[in-house]
Amino acid sequence: LREDKDNATGIGGFSNRVFEEVDVGDLEYIVRLQVALGKALGMAQRMTESVTAYQDALRITQAAKASKDLKDRSILFPVFDGLSQALKRGHIVQDEECRYEKAMLRRYVHEAKLHGDPINCIHAMTLQADMFARFGDYESAVECHKKEVEPLYDVEAHSLDLCDEHGSDLGAQSFSNCAMWNLQLGKEDEALGTCWFVVEELMPKIEKRNVHATFLILYPVMWVMKECGFALEARDFFDEYVCEAYTEFFGEGRPTFFLPLYDPVMMLLDLAG
């Protein structure tokens, strides 16, 4: 199956003949192999090779005739996650228009919708909205949230699964980020309305023990509320859902990633109020 003198160069060390003849079962094994290789190389800090393995997994599904019969599209989702992390950490060089990232996320959104799993759909959509915001296109970021994430996300159904799968509740974070984006667009009333929705409707239903995820959700909300004249209210919410929750579940001696920011955030909101 590997490259030889009689076959044109293939992908991932496999000859082009393989992609003409392989059945859907073996294709799935090949893709899983590339994904596992990408993960292993990433853990070994061999990032360039890890990115190549992930990219090869996508190229293989494009080249293989049997890919149209691939039932479990979720085998590709770790590829998009790995490539997104590589982009975030600067391991993939892009042109000024970031065409690579745009194309990769379009493919992720397409594959997630084909598979139909809401957790991966939410992940794909939030990555796309964040990309728009990072480029300064806040209108597209808000539109992506409103049209794609908001109708799909259910805090009670999806919050814990998103935390388990991606480390935090990306759906709730998208609401908080949308508040920031609206503030950037000068839509203060909409931004503040979204903040109240987060703290009054979402936060009471989110697992308080996951203080890290809670911090990520509340952090954008704090700044929007502060800018809109509700710094002391923001302080109370931050104290209840982050500081008090940390003390209740973990005590003072156990570290968490954002712990050094707790006191400065409380102090700033005190002063702003």
Side-chain angles (χ1 to χ4, degrees):
L1 294 176
R2 293 288 176 174
E3 295 177 32
D4 56 53
K5 295 179 181 178
D6 298 324
N7 286 285
T9 302
I11 304 166
F14 295 94
S15 70
N16 286 326
R17 178 174 58 85
V18 172
F19 306 126
E20 294 287 328
E21 301 174 1
V22 70
D23 63 32
V24 67
D26 287 336
L27 173 62
E28 184 172 326
Y29 286 127
I30 291 172
V31 173
R32 289 185 185 277
L33 174 65
Q34 291 297 134
V35 170
L37 182 59
K39 287 182 179 179
L41 290 166
M43 292 177 67
Q45 299 302 309
R46 293 164 62 179
M47 299 309 300
T48 300
E49 294 165 278
S50 174
V51 167
T52 299
Y54 284 135
Q55 290 173 333
D56 284 346
L58 292 180
R59 293 190 186 106
I60 286 168
T61 57
Q62 289 175 320
K65 287 185 175 181
S67 63
K68 65 181 184 299
D69 300 319
L70 198 61
K71 297 284 190 257
D72 185 7
R73 315 296 297 190
S74 67
I75 62 174
L76 289 171
F77 295 157
V79 172
F80 300 111
D81 196 21
L83 291 176
S84 296
Q85 293 298 322
L87 280 163
K88 186 182 296 184
R89 294 167 185 166
H91 297 299
I92 298 176
V93 178
Q94 298 195 82
D95 60 21
E96 290 184 358
E97 297 179 5
C98 297
R99 284 178 289 186
Y100 179 92
E101 184 176 6
K102 292 175 182 176
M104 186 270 290
L105 288 178
R106 278 198 301 271
R107 176 84 186 272
Y108 186 14
V109 169
H110 174 72
E111 294 290 349
K113 286 183 174 180
L114 277 180
H115 184 67
D117 174 48
I119 301 304
N120 286 288
C121 284
I122 291 168
H123 183 225
M125 303 304 180
T126 55
L127 287 177
Q128 193 168 60
D130 288 345
M131 178 191 70
F132 289 135
R134 198 171 66 254
F135 296 161
D137 186 359
Y138 298 112
E139 298 224 2
S140 293
V142 170
E143 183 180 13
C144 184
H145 169 81
K146 291 285 188 184
K147 289 187 176 180
E148 303 287 358
V149 180
E150 191 170 325
L152 186 61
Y153 175 74
D154 183 313
V155 60
E156 293 175 305
H158 302 140
S159 182
L160 288 176
D161 287 341
L162 282 164
C163 288
D164 289 343
E165 189 78 19
H166 300 289
S168 60
D169 185 343
L170 299 171
Q173 280 177 235
S174 186
F175 282 87
S176 299
N177 290 335
C178 189
M180 286 285 288
W181 302 332
N182 271 317
L183 191 64
Q184 291 291 328
L185 291 168
K187 299 177 180 179
E188 186 174 304
D189 289 343
E190 290 185 40
L192 193 56
T194 303
C195 289
W196 288 117
F197 176 79
V198 171
V199 295
E200 293 178 346
E201 299 295 330
L202 299 185
M203 293 310 305
K205 300 173 184 176
I206 288 171
E207 173 59 61
K208 288 183 71 174
R209 186 181 295 272
N210 193 340
V211 181
H212 176 78
T214 301
F215 183 95
L216 292 172
I217 295 166
L218 278 181
Y219 196 73
V221 168
M222 298 301 95
W223 305 123
V224 174
M225 294 185 74
K226 179 181 77 68
E227 291 298 314
C228 295
F230 292 90
L232 292 181
E233 289 83 353
R235 181 197 182 283
D236 290 342
F237 288 123
F238 189 81
D239 191 29
E240 176 184 356
Y241 288 112
V242 177
C243 300
E244 290 181 6
Y246 169 75
T247 302
E248 177 184 351
F249 293 111
F250 305 109
E252 296 293 342
R254 184 169 172 181
T256 183
F257 187 79
F258 292 115
L259 181 60
L261 290 179
Y262 289 7
D263 286 341
V265 168
M266 293 287 283
M267 176 66 73
L268 177 60
L269 293 174
D270 262 336
L271 292 171

PDB file of all heavy atoms in Angstrom, residues 1-23 25-31 33-34 60:
ATOM      1  N   LEU A   1       0.806  -1.208   0.000  1.00  0.00           N
ATOM      2  CA  LEU A   1       0.000   0.000   0.000  1.00  0.00           C
ATOM      3  C   LEU A   1       0.845   1.268   0.000  1.00  0.00           C
ATOM      4  O   LEU A   1       0.353   2.338  -0.306  1.00  0.00           O
ATOM      5  CB  LEU A   1      -0.908   0.027   1.237  1.00  0.00           C
ATOM      6  CG  LEU A   1      -2.000  -1.045   1.299  1.00  0.00           C
ATOM      7  CD1 LEU A   1      -2.743  -0.945   2.618  1.00  0.00           C
ATOM      8  CD2 LEU A   1      -2.963  -0.909   0.145  1.00  0.00           C
ATOM      9  N   ARG A   2       2.090   1.163   0.391  1.00  0.00           N
ATOM     10  CA  ARG A   2       2.935   2.348   0.478  1.00  0.00           C
ATOM     11  C   ARG A   2       3.438   2.767  -0.895  1.00  0.00           C
ATOM     12  O   ARG A   2       3.306   2.038  -1.887  1.00  0.00           O
ATOM     13  CB  ARG A   2       4.118   2.059   1.410  1.00  0.00           C
ATOM     14  CG  ARG A   2       3.685   1.865   2.869  1.00  0.00           C
ATOM     15  CD  ARG A   2       3.264   3.184   3.470  1.00  0.00           C
ATOM     16  NE  ARG A   2       2.747   3.024   4.825  1.00  0.00           N
ATOM     17  CZ  ARG A   2       2.423   4.020   5.621  1.00  0.00           C
ATOM     18  NH1 ARG A   2       2.546   5.255   5.195  1.00  0.00           N
ATOM     19  NH2 ARG A   2       1.947   3.821   6.819  1.00  0.00           N
ATOM     20  N   GLU A   3       4.029   3.952  -0.937  1.00  0.00           N
ATOM     21  CA  GLU A   3       4.519   4.468  -2.203  1.00  0.00           C
ATOM     22  C   GLU A   3       5.564   3.544  -2.812  1.00  0.00           C
ATOM     23  O   GLU A   3       6.355   2.943  -2.121  1.00  0.00           O
ATOM     24  CB  GLU A   3       5.153   5.849  -1.977  1.00  0.00           C
ATOM     25  CG  GLU A   3       4.167   6.893  -1.522  1.00  0.00           C
ATOM     26  CD  GLU A   3       4.844   8.210  -1.239  1.00  0.00           C
ATOM     27  OE1 GLU A   3       5.844   8.500  -1.914  1.00  0.00           O
ATOM     28  OE2 GLU A   3       4.388   8.929  -0.342  1.00  0.00           O
ATOM     29  N   ASP A   4       5.567   3.427  -4.125  1.00  0.00           N
ATOM     30  CA  ASP A   4       6.594   2.668  -4.819  1.00  0.00           C
ATOM     31  C   ASP A   4       6.880   3.354  -6.150  1.00  0.00           C
ATOM     32  O   ASP A   4       6.243   4.329  -6.521  1.00  0.00           O
ATOM     33  CB  ASP A   4       6.164   1.201  -5.017  1.00  0.00           C
ATOM     34  CG  ASP A   4       4.837   1.087  -5.746  1.00  0.00           C
ATOM     35  OD1 ASP A   4       4.721   1.677  -6.837  1.00  0.00           O
ATOM     36  OD2 ASP A   4       3.935   0.398  -5.249  1.00  0.00           O
ATOM     37  N   LYS A   5       7.842   2.809  -6.876  1.00  0.00           N
ATOM     38  CA  LYS A   5       8.279   3.459  -8.106  1.00  0.00           C
ATOM     39  C   LYS A   5       7.207   3.475  -9.184  1.00  0.00           C
ATOM     40  O   LYS A   5       7.245   4.297 -10.093  1.00  0.00           O
ATOM     41  CB  LYS A   5       9.534   2.754  -8.633  1.00  0.00           C
ATOM     42  CG  LYS A   5      10.724   2.904  -7.703  1.00  0.00           C
ATOM     43  CD  LYS A   5      11.932   2.163  -8.250  1.00  0.00           C
ATOM     44  CE  LYS A   5      13.114   2.291  -7.302  1.00  0.00           C
ATOM     45  NZ  LYS A   5      14.292   1.537  -7.796  1.00  0.00           N
ATOM     46  N   ASP A   6       6.257   2.567  -9.076  1.00  0.00           N
ATOM     47  CA  ASP A   6       5.238   2.461 -10.116  1.00  0.00           C
ATOM     48  C   ASP A   6       4.006   3.320  -9.840  1.00  0.00           C
ATOM     49  O   ASP A   6       3.068   3.330 -10.608  1.00  0.00           O
ATOM     50  CB  ASP A   6       4.797   1.004 -10.270  1.00  0.00           C
ATOM     51  CG  ASP A   6       5.962   0.115 -10.700  1.00  0.00           C
ATOM     52  OD1 ASP A   6       6.792   0.602 -11.493  1.00  0.00           O
ATOM     53  OD2 ASP A   6       6.041  -1.019 -10.224  1.00  0.00           O
ATOM     54  N   ASN A   7       4.002   4.032  -8.703  1.00  0.00           N
ATOM     55  CA  ASN A   7       2.833   4.844  -8.354  1.00  0.00           C
ATOM     56  C   ASN A   7       3.249   6.283  -8.098  1.00  0.00           C
ATOM     57  O   ASN A   7       4.316   6.547  -7.545  1.00  0.00           O
ATOM     58  CB  ASN A   7       2.160   4.297  -7.079  1.00  0.00           C
ATOM     59  CG  ASN A   7       1.397   3.014  -7.358  1.00  0.00           C
ATOM     60  OD1 ASN A   7       0.328   3.033  -7.933  1.00  0.00           O
ATOM     61  ND2 ASN A   7       1.981   1.894  -6.956  1.00  0.00           N
ATOM     62  N   ALA A   8       2.405   7.198  -8.525  1.00  0.00           N
ATOM     63  CA  ALA A   8       2.683   8.606  -8.253  1.00  0.00           C
ATOM     64  C   ALA A   8       2.619   8.852  -6.748  1.00  0.00           C
ATOM     65  O   ALA A   8       1.977   8.114  -6.002  1.00  0.00           O
ATOM     66  CB  ALA A   8       1.666   9.483  -8.971  1.00  0.00           C
ATOM     67  N   THR A   9       3.298   9.868  -6.317  1.00  0.00           N
ATOM     68  CA  THR A   9       3.306  10.180  -4.888  1.00  0.00           C
ATOM     69  C   THR A   9       1.889  10.364  -4.381  1.00  0.00           C
ATOM     70  O   THR A   9       1.085  11.090  -4.959  1.00  0.00           O
ATOM     71  CB  THR A   9       4.104  11.467  -4.633  1.00  0.00           C
ATOM     72  OG1 THR A   9       5.427  11.285  -5.117  1.00  0.00           O
ATOM     73  CG2 THR A   9       4.145  11.790  -3.158  1.00  0.00           C
ATOM     74  N   GLY A  10       1.576   9.697  -3.255  1.00  0.00           N
ATOM     75  CA  GLY A  10       0.243   9.779  -2.683  1.00  0.00           C
ATOM     76  C   GLY A  10       0.203  10.717  -1.500  1.00  0.00           C
ATOM     77  O   GLY A  10       0.855  11.756  -1.494  1.00  0.00           O
ATOM     78  N   ILE A  11      -0.565  10.340  -0.476  1.00  0.00           N
ATOM     79  CA  ILE A  11      -0.759  11.162   0.705  1.00  0.00           C
ATOM     80  C   ILE A  11      -0.467  10.325   1.936  1.00  0.00           C
ATOM     81  O   ILE A  11      -0.912   9.190   2.040  1.00  0.00           O
ATOM     82  CB  ILE A  11      -2.208  11.688   0.775  1.00  0.00           C
ATOM     83  CG1 ILE A  11      -2.576  12.444  -0.499  1.00  0.00           C
ATOM     84  CG2 ILE A  11      -2.394  12.599   1.989  1.00  0.00           C
ATOM     85  CD1 ILE A  11      -4.068  12.702  -0.637  1.00  0.00           C
ATOM     86  N   GLY A  12       0.268  10.895   2.875  1.00  0.00           N
ATOM     87  CA  GLY A  12       0.551  10.198   4.124  1.00  0.00           C
ATOM     88  C   GLY A  12       1.330   8.916   3.944  1.00  0.00           C
ATOM     89  O   GLY A  12       1.246   8.021   4.789  1.00  0.00           O
ATOM     90  N   GLY A  13       2.092   8.801   2.861  1.00  0.00           N
ATOM     91  CA  GLY A  13       2.862   7.597   2.614  1.00  0.00           C
ATOM     92  C   GLY A  13       2.104   6.532   1.856  1.00  0.00           C
ATOM     93  O   GLY A  13       2.669   5.483   1.527  1.00  0.00           O
ATOM     94  N   PHE A  14       0.838   6.756   1.550  1.00  0.00           N
ATOM     95  CA  PHE A  14       0.034   5.804   0.792  1.00  0.00           C
ATOM     96  C   PHE A  14       0.036   6.208  -0.681  1.00  0.00           C
ATOM     97  O   PHE A  14      -0.056   7.382  -1.020  1.00  0.00           O
ATOM     98  CB  PHE A  14      -1.411   5.769   1.313  1.00  0.00           C
ATOM     99  CG  PHE A  14      -1.539   5.258   2.711  1.00  0.00           C
ATOM    100  CD1 PHE A  14      -1.554   6.125   3.784  1.00  0.00           C
ATOM    101  CD2 PHE A  14      -1.636   3.894   2.955  1.00  0.00           C
ATOM    102  CE1 PHE A  14      -1.679   5.664   5.078  1.00  0.00           C
ATOM    103  CE2 PHE A  14      -1.756   3.414   4.246  1.00  0.00           C
ATOM    104  CZ  PHE A  14      -1.768   4.294   5.325  1.00  0.00           C
ATOM    105  N   SER A  15       0.110   5.214  -1.547  1.00  0.00           N
ATOM    106  CA  SER A  15       0.108   5.511  -2.983  1.00  0.00           C
ATOM    107  C   SER A  15      -1.287   5.929  -3.428  1.00  0.00           C
ATOM    108  O   SER A  15      -2.290   5.611  -2.794  1.00  0.00           O
ATOM    109  CB  SER A  15       0.551   4.276  -3.773  1.00  0.00           C
ATOM    110  OG  SER A  15      -0.431   3.269  -3.712  1.00  0.00           O
ATOM    111  N   ASN A  16      -1.346   6.631  -4.550  1.00  0.00           N
ATOM    112  CA  ASN A  16      -2.633   7.076  -5.077  1.00  0.00           C
ATOM    113  C   ASN A  16      -3.541   5.900  -5.430  1.00  0.00           C
ATOM    114  O   ASN A  16      -4.771   6.027  -5.405  1.00  0.00           O
ATOM    115  CB  ASN A  16      -2.418   7.954  -6.316  1.00  0.00           C
ATOM    116  CG  ASN A  16      -1.904   9.333  -5.951  1.00  0.00           C
ATOM    117  OD1 ASN A  16      -2.261   9.878  -4.925  1.00  0.00           O
ATOM    118  ND2 ASN A  16      -1.043   9.895  -6.788  1.00  0.00           N
ATOM    119  N   ARG A  17      -2.951   4.764  -5.758  1.00  0.00           N
ATOM    120  CA  ARG A  17      -3.747   3.579  -6.100  1.00  0.00           C
ATOM    121  C   ARG A  17      -4.646   3.167  -4.931  1.00  0.00           C
ATOM    122  O   ARG A  17      -5.767   2.686  -5.129  1.00  0.00           O
ATOM    123  CB  ARG A  17      -2.809   2.427  -6.465  1.00  0.00           C
ATOM    124  CG  ARG A  17      -3.532   1.123  -6.791  1.00  0.00           C
ATOM    125  CD  ARG A  17      -2.528   0.075  -7.287  1.00  0.00           C
ATOM    126  NE  ARG A  17      -1.487  -0.166  -6.315  1.00  0.00           N
ATOM    127  CZ  ARG A  17      -1.608  -1.042  -5.288  1.00  0.00           C
ATOM    128  NH1 ARG A  17      -2.740  -1.708  -5.128  1.00  0.00           N
ATOM    129  NH2 ARG A  17      -0.624  -1.213  -4.458  1.00  0.00           N
ATOM    130  N   VAL A  18      -4.151   3.364  -3.719  1.00  0.00           N
ATOM    131  CA  VAL A  18      -4.931   3.006  -2.537  1.00  0.00           C
ATOM    132  C   VAL A  18      -6.255   3.756  -2.514  1.00  0.00           C
ATOM    133  O   VAL A  18      -7.312   3.186  -2.239  1.00  0.00           O
ATOM    134  CB  VAL A  18      -4.126   3.308  -1.248  1.00  0.00           C
ATOM    135  CG1 VAL A  18      -5.000   3.130  -0.004  1.00  0.00           C
ATOM    136  CG2 VAL A  18      -2.900   2.422  -1.165  1.00  0.00           C
ATOM    137  N   PHE A  19      -6.212   5.043  -2.839  1.00  0.00           N
ATOM    138  CA  PHE A  19      -7.413   5.868  -2.737  1.00  0.00           C
ATOM    139  C   PHE A  19      -8.413   5.560  -3.849  1.00  0.00           C
ATOM    140  O   PHE A  19      -9.581   5.928  -3.764  1.00  0.00           O
ATOM    141  CB  PHE A  19      -7.026   7.340  -2.735  1.00  0.00           C
ATOM    142  CG  PHE A  19      -6.010   7.667  -1.680  1.00  0.00           C
ATOM    143  CD1 PHE A  19      -4.824   8.305  -2.004  1.00  0.00           C
ATOM    144  CD2 PHE A  19      -6.209   7.293  -0.360  1.00  0.00           C
ATOM    145  CE1 PHE A  19      -3.865   8.584  -1.039  1.00  0.00           C
ATOM    146  CE2 PHE A  19      -5.265   7.567   0.618  1.00  0.00           C
ATOM    147  CZ  PHE A  19      -4.093   8.213   0.276  1.00  0.00           C
ATOM    148  N   GLU A  20      -7.949   4.884  -4.881  1.00  0.00           N
ATOM    149  CA  GLU A  20      -8.854   4.431  -5.930  1.00  0.00           C
ATOM    150  C   GLU A  20      -9.565   3.148  -5.512  1.00  0.00           C
ATOM    151  O   GLU A  20     -10.726   2.931  -5.855  1.00  0.00           O
ATOM    152  CB  GLU A  20      -8.070   4.173  -7.221  1.00  0.00           C
ATOM    153  CG  GLU A  20      -7.465   5.423  -7.859  1.00  0.00           C
ATOM    154  CD  GLU A  20      -8.518   6.289  -8.506  1.00  0.00           C
ATOM    155  OE1 GLU A  20      -9.522   5.732  -8.997  1.00  0.00           O
ATOM    156  OE2 GLU A  20      -8.357   7.527  -8.507  1.00  0.00           O
ATOM    157  N   GLU A  21      -8.869   2.304  -4.744  1.00  0.00           N
ATOM    158  CA  GLU A  21      -9.363   0.952  -4.507  1.00  0.00           C
ATOM    159  C   GLU A  21      -9.859   0.683  -3.093  1.00  0.00           C
ATOM    160  O   GLU A  21     -10.598  -0.272  -2.876  1.00  0.00           O
ATOM    161  CB  GLU A  21      -8.240  -0.047  -4.820  1.00  0.00           C
ATOM    162  CG  GLU A  21      -7.735   0.050  -6.257  1.00  0.00           C
ATOM    163  CD  GLU A  21      -6.533  -0.841  -6.519  1.00  0.00           C
ATOM    164  OE1 GLU A  21      -6.109  -1.548  -5.573  1.00  0.00           O
ATOM    165  OE2 GLU A  21      -6.027  -0.833  -7.648  1.00  0.00           O
ATOM    166  N   VAL A  22      -9.450   1.487  -2.114  1.00  0.00           N
ATOM    167  CA  VAL A  22      -9.771   1.180  -0.725  1.00  0.00           C
ATOM    168  C   VAL A  22     -11.275   1.257  -0.477  1.00  0.00           C
ATOM    169  O   VAL A  22     -11.963   2.105  -1.041  1.00  0.00           O
ATOM    170  CB  VAL A  22      -9.000   2.152   0.212  1.00  0.00           C
ATOM    171  CG1 VAL A  22      -9.558   3.577   0.115  1.00  0.00           C
ATOM    172  CG2 VAL A  22      -9.051   1.665   1.646  1.00  0.00           C
ATOM    173  N   ASP A  23     -11.796   0.310   0.344  1.00  0.00           N
ATOM    174  CA  ASP A  23     -13.214   0.364   0.689  1.00  0.00           C
ATOM    175  C   ASP A  23     -13.407   1.260   1.901  1.00  0.00           C
ATOM    176  O   ASP A  23     -12.451   1.697   2.548  1.00  0.00           O
ATOM    177  CB  ASP A  23     -13.779  -1.040   0.926  1.00  0.00           C
ATOM    178  CG  ASP A  23     -13.123  -1.758   2.103  1.00  0.00           C
ATOM    179  OD1 ASP A  23     -12.710  -1.094   3.071  1.00  0.00           O
ATOM    180  OD2 ASP A  23     -13.018  -3.001   2.044  1.00  0.00           O
ATOM    181  N   GLY A  25     -14.466   0.748   4.900  1.00  0.00           N
ATOM    182  CA  GLY A  25     -13.984   0.246   6.188  1.00  0.00           C
ATOM    183  C   GLY A  25     -12.506   0.509   6.387  1.00  0.00           C
ATOM    184  O   GLY A  25     -12.071   1.006   7.439  1.00  0.00           O
ATOM    185  N   ASP A  26     -11.716   0.179   5.365  1.00  0.00           N
ATOM    186  CA  ASP A  26     -10.278   0.428   5.464  1.00  0.00           C
ATOM    187  C   ASP A  26      -9.953   1.916   5.435  1.00  0.00           C
ATOM    188  O   ASP A  26      -8.983   2.365   6.055  1.00  0.00           O
ATOM    189  CB  ASP A  26      -9.546  -0.287   4.325  1.00  0.00           C
ATOM    190  CG  ASP A  26      -9.495  -1.796   4.532  1.00  0.00           C
ATOM    191  OD1 ASP A  26      -9.593  -2.226   5.701  1.00  0.00           O
ATOM    192  OD2 ASP A  26      -9.380  -2.534   3.537  1.00  0.00           O
ATOM    193  N   LEU A  27     -10.763   2.687   4.704  1.00  0.00           N
ATOM    194  CA  LEU A  27     -10.558   4.135   4.690  1.00  0.00           C
ATOM    195  C   LEU A  27     -10.695   4.694   6.108  1.00  0.00           C
ATOM    196  O   LEU A  27      -9.900   5.551   6.530  1.00  0.00           O
ATOM    197  CB  LEU A  27     -11.581   4.802   3.765  1.00  0.00           C
ATOM    198  CG  LEU A  27     -11.587   6.335   3.776  1.00  0.00           C
ATOM    199  CD1 LEU A  27     -10.244   6.888   3.309  1.00  0.00           C
ATOM    200  CD2 LEU A  27     -12.719   6.875   2.910  1.00  0.00           C
ATOM    201  N   GLU A  28     -11.689   4.231   6.845  1.00  0.00           N
ATOM    202  CA  GLU A  28     -11.875   4.701   8.220  1.00  0.00           C
ATOM    203  C   GLU A  28     -10.656   4.370   9.075  1.00  0.00           C
ATOM    204  O   GLU A  28     -10.200   5.206   9.860  1.00  0.00           O
ATOM    205  CB  GLU A  28     -13.126   4.071   8.831  1.00  0.00           C
ATOM    206  CG  GLU A  28     -13.441   4.591  10.218  1.00  0.00           C
ATOM    207  CD  GLU A  28     -14.792   4.105  10.733  1.00  0.00           C
ATOM    208  OE1 GLU A  28     -15.711   3.961   9.917  1.00  0.00           O
ATOM    209  OE2 GLU A  28     -14.900   3.883  11.956  1.00  0.00           O
ATOM    210  N   TYR A  29     -10.096   3.158   8.898  1.00  0.00           N
ATOM    211  CA  TYR A  29      -8.894   2.791   9.656  1.00  0.00           C
ATOM    212  C   TYR A  29      -7.721   3.706   9.302  1.00  0.00           C
ATOM    213  O   TYR A  29      -6.940   4.119  10.170  1.00  0.00           O
ATOM    214  CB  TYR A  29      -8.514   1.337   9.394  1.00  0.00           C
ATOM    215  CG  TYR A  29      -9.413   0.334  10.067  1.00  0.00           C
ATOM    216  CD1 TYR A  29     -10.025  -0.688   9.332  1.00  0.00           C
ATOM    217  CD2 TYR A  29      -9.672   0.403  11.434  1.00  0.00           C
ATOM    218  CE1 TYR A  29     -10.867  -1.604   9.942  1.00  0.00           C
ATOM    219  CE2 TYR A  29     -10.513  -0.513  12.053  1.00  0.00           C
ATOM    220  CZ  TYR A  29     -11.105  -1.511  11.305  1.00  0.00           C
ATOM    221  OH  TYR A  29     -11.936  -2.425  11.915  1.00  0.00           O
ATOM    222  N   ILE A  30      -7.572   4.027   8.021  1.00  0.00           N
ATOM    223  CA  ILE A  30      -6.470   4.897   7.583  1.00  0.00           C
ATOM    224  C   ILE A  30      -6.617   6.287   8.195  1.00  0.00           C
ATOM    225  O   ILE A  30      -5.636   6.871   8.692  1.00  0.00           O
ATOM    226  CB  ILE A  30      -6.422   4.982   6.043  1.00  0.00           C
ATOM    227  CG1 ILE A  30      -5.995   3.621   5.458  1.00  0.00           C
ATOM    228  CG2 ILE A  30      -5.455   6.066   5.594  1.00  0.00           C
ATOM    229  CD1 ILE A  30      -6.094   3.552   3.940  1.00  0.00           C
ATOM    230  N   VAL A  31      -7.834   6.824   8.178  1.00  0.00           N
ATOM    231  CA  VAL A  31      -8.058   8.152   8.748  1.00  0.00           C
ATOM    232  C   VAL A  31      -7.797   8.138  10.249  1.00  0.00           C
ATOM    233  O   VAL A  31      -7.147   9.036  10.796  1.00  0.00           O
ATOM    234  CB  VAL A  31      -9.491   8.642   8.452  1.00  0.00           C
ATOM    235  CG1 VAL A  31      -9.780   9.952   9.192  1.00  0.00           C
ATOM    236  CG2 VAL A  31      -9.684   8.839   6.955  1.00  0.00           C
ATOM    237  N   LEU A  33      -5.822   6.213  11.825  1.00  0.00           N
ATOM    238  CA  LEU A  33      -4.372   6.099  11.989  1.00  0.00           C
ATOM    239  C   LEU A  33      -3.716   7.472  11.893  1.00  0.00           C
ATOM    240  O   LEU A  33      -2.852   7.821  12.708  1.00  0.00           O
ATOM    241  CB  LEU A  33      -3.801   5.159  10.921  1.00  0.00           C
ATOM    242  CG  LEU A  33      -2.269   5.050  10.858  1.00  0.00           C
ATOM    243  CD1 LEU A  33      -1.733   4.431  12.133  1.00  0.00           C
ATOM    244  CD2 LEU A  33      -1.845   4.230   9.640  1.00  0.00           C
ATOM    245  N   GLN A  34      -4.122   8.265  10.898  1.00  0.00           N
ATOM    246  CA  GLN A  34      -3.551   9.605  10.731  1.00  0.00           C
ATOM    247  C   GLN A  34      -3.891  10.504  11.922  1.00  0.00           C
ATOM    248  O   GLN A  34      -3.055  11.281  12.378  1.00  0.00           O
ATOM    249  CB  GLN A  34      -4.066  10.241   9.446  1.00  0.00           C
ATOM    250  CG  GLN A  34      -3.560   9.613   8.169  1.00  0.00           C
ATOM    251  CD  GLN A  34      -2.048   9.749   8.018  1.00  0.00           C
ATOM    252  OE1 GLN A  34      -1.357   8.796   7.682  1.00  0.00           O
ATOM    253  NE2 GLN A  34      -1.528  10.935   8.263  1.00  0.00           N
ATOM    254  N   ILE A  60      -6.769  12.773   2.551  1.00  0.00           N
ATOM    255  CA  ILE A  60      -7.127  11.390   2.244  1.00  0.00           C
ATOM    256  C   ILE A  60      -8.635  11.261   2.024  1.00  0.00           C
ATOM    257  O   ILE A  60      -9.087  10.589   1.093  1.00  0.00           O
ATOM    258  CB  ILE A  60      -6.640  10.453   3.371  1.00  0.00           C
ATOM    259  CG1 ILE A  60      -5.117  10.274   3.284  1.00  0.00           C
ATOM    260  CG2 ILE A  60      -7.341   9.090   3.292  1.00  0.00           C
ATOM    261  CD1 ILE A  60      -4.501   9.621   4.499  1.00  0.00           C
TER     262      ILE A  60
END
